[in-house]
Amino acid sequence: MKYSPMTDIVKKFSNNQRFSYHVVVNIYTRQDNHDDYINRNVRIGSNEILSKDELTERAVHVVSGLIDSQAEFKDCEQVQIVGVTLAGAYDRDLNDN
């Protein structure tokens, strides 16, 4: 996994952790015979380097909690996580120079 220097916006949301990961989770929903796909962006912070499996597990856990608690999913006949994409990895200790 290639790490990039943290931008100011990434630093703002990283809670002073060394590493920040941007993961996109794709959710399939079915409601009233209508299929839809929804992407949820998840930012994961850590002071340790995380493997792809750890990132996937953490992102799925976060989105599963959203599915269970968000009203937009309550009336769906089916909700399923169908994809996880690692969109970015950032290291606070890297410099742009």
Side-chain angles (χ1 to χ4, degrees):
M1 181 172 346
K2 183 178 184 307
Y3 289 83
S4 301
M6 282 191 186
T7 62
D8 289 338
I9 193 75
V10 173
K11 285 179 182 177
K12 179 179 177 182
F13 293 105
S14 70
N15 296 322
N16 291 322
Q17 294 176 314
R18 178 171 173 193
F19 300 101
S20 181
Y21 302 91
H22 176 198
V23 183
V24 179
V25 179
N26 187 253
I27 305 166
Y28 164 79
T29 62
R30 182 167 185 80
Q31 182 177 5
D32 299 327
N33 292 324
H34 176 71
D35 297 335
D36 197 9
Y37 290 89
I38 302 166
N39 287 329
R40 286 292 183 257
N41 293 302
V42 178
R43 184 149 327 264
I44 298 171
S46 175
N47 285 317
E48 305 292 327
I49 292 177
L50 299 178
S51 70
K52 291 179 183 179
D53 288 342
E54 289 171 310
L55 285 170
T56 300
E57 183 179 322
R58 288 186 187 196
V60 166
H61 180 75
V62 168
V63 172
S64 293
L66 287 174
I67 290 170
D68 291 341
S69 65
Q70 298 269 323
E72 70 181 294
F73 298 110
K74 293 290 186 208
D75 294 329
C76 292
E77 298 150 16
Q78 183 178 359
V79 179
Q80 181 178 359
I81 295 173
V82 293
V84 178
T85 302
L86 176 60
Y90 305 92
D91 182 343
R92 181 179 295 278
D93 290 350
L94 290 179
N95 295 319
D96 283 327
N97 305 342

